Amino acid sequence: MNNSVIDIKNLKVQYGDNTVLHNVSASIPKNKITVILGGSGCGKTTLIKSVLKLHHPTSGSINIFGNETINLSDEDFVPYLKEVGMLFQNGALLNSISVADNVAIPLEQHTNLPKPIIDRIIRVKLELVNLSHAIHLFPSELSGGMKKRAALSRAIALDPKILFCDEPSAGLDPITSENLDNLIIKLKNQLNMTIVIVTHELASIHRIADEIIFLDKGYVLYQGTLNDAKKARIPELNRFFSVGTY
């Protein structure tokens, strides 16, 4: 029985004449945290963009929830996007509106819920990320960690089945980073989500990863558990974990 929510097979992605992903095959297991890692420029973000149809691959297959999506029109792909949350690297909050209004955006755009229900959902989501006190604040009034949590609240507003996080710990101090990691783990368990995280932060990888996908120069060199990765005797992977970058 296939327990994956996303299956990627023989994916090739090019930017002009430059091939960024070379026949990549990988799977994202259900209700686990999968970390996509590797050095800068290895293709981590390109892989996520391809899954979300932000970039069209040259060839290959992307299967989400048992359905092929690579050739779907933007309109036909919308139902899949409604099942996905995205935590951007810088949070991508709109600075001109309050935290509450930021969290309301996906609810107002993708549901017909009345305002009192939306307001209640906003309060619940902010409470989940320990940010109830900031509901009326503006992004400029938040610390770096609070901005990430506000953006995370918006990302889970529609109760997505899959949450993507692009470098969630970027720019955070070690303690704030650890707190964010623990929050992501808690949300995975509480909301029964599948989470995909792009990062190169070793401390975070050790805290949160159920599985890892290791990319090097556009190739998948390893997919499996973190413990097995350290026994895999793959030179590039060993170097990554020994020096933390690459």
Side-chain angles (χ1 to χ4, degrees):
M1 181 176 178
N2 189 353
N3 197 37
S4 59
V5 295
I6 301 174
D7 286 297
I8 301 161
K9 294 182 180 178
N10 302 320
L11 195 72
K12 182 179 181 181
V13 178
Q14 292 177 290
Y15 294 117
D17 294 330
N18 181 34
T19 300
V20 181
L21 295 177
H22 302 264
N23 296 319
V24 164
S25 294
S27 61
I28 305 298
K30 184 178 181 180
N31 301 140
K32 293 186 180 294
I33 297 178
T34 299
V35 176
I36 302 174
L37 55 97
S40 299
C42 70
K44 301 187 296 291
T45 301
T46 296
L47 181 58
I48 298 303
K49 285 183 176 180
S50 299
V51 171
L52 297 176
K53 289 185 73 68
L54 297 176
H55 188 82
H56 191 74
T58 306
S59 60
S61 169
I62 300 175
N63 190 293
I64 303 177
F65 305 132
N67 298 297
E68 178 62 45
T69 61
I70 202 166
N71 291 318
L72 290 180
S73 67
D74 290 344
E75 182 180 0
D76 289 338
F77 192 64
V78 168
Y80 294 91
L81 287 178
K82 289 181 179 179
E83 302 288 354
V84 170
M86 183 73 201
L87 175 60
F88 297 95
Q89 183 177 135
N90 61 1
L93 297 173
L94 299 180
N95 292 320
S96 59
I97 60 177
S98 69
V99 167
D101 289 338
N102 268 281
V103 178
I105 291 172
L107 294 162
E108 292 172 345
Q109 289 187 343
H110 299 296
T111 76
N112 294 314
L113 295 171
K115 189 177 186 304
I117 299 298
I118 289 178
D119 289 344
R120 178 168 175 76
I121 292 172
I122 291 168
R123 289 193 295 271
V124 169
K125 300 305 181 183
L126 287 172
E127 185 175 348
L128 279 172
V129 300
N130 306 316
L131 213 58
S132 299
H133 62 287
I135 189 168
H136 298 303
L137 297 180
F138 284 75
S140 61
E141 301 175 281
L142 306 180
S143 66
M146 291 171 69
K147 287 179 181 177
K148 292 289 178 77
R149 284 187 281 141
L152 182 56
S153 180
R154 183 181 61 190
I156 63 173
L158 294 174
D159 295 322
K161 293 179 181 177
I162 306 173
L163 174 65
F164 289 93
C165 304
D166 186 12
E167 300 283 1
S169 300
L172 301 181
D173 64 81
I175 294 175
T176 304
S177 177
E178 181 178 6
N179 289 337
L180 182 62
D181 288 340
N182 291 335
L183 175 59
I184 289 172
I185 293 169
K186 184 186 83 169
L187 291 176
K188 181 203 76 167
N189 295 328
Q190 283 186 328
L191 304 179
N192 206 28
M193 286 191 300
T194 298
I195 301 180
V196 183
I197 297 179
V198 173
T199 187
H200 62 271
E201 300 284 346
L202 277 183
S204 288
I205 293 167
H206 283 93
R207 280 192 293 262
I208 63 179
D210 294 314
E211 295 225 351
I212 66 170
I213 298 171
F214 182 75
L215 292 175
D216 179 61
K217 299 175 183 176
Y219 294 90
V220 173
L221 296 191
Y222 174 84
Q223 172 163 9
T225 67
L226 183 60
N227 286 335
D228 287 345
K230 295 178 179 179
K231 306 171 188 174
R233 297 183 180 179
I234 299 172
E236 295 87 351
L237 189 56
N238 292 339
R239 184 181 177 197
F240 181 92
F241 281 111
S242 66
V243 299
T245 188
Y246 182 77

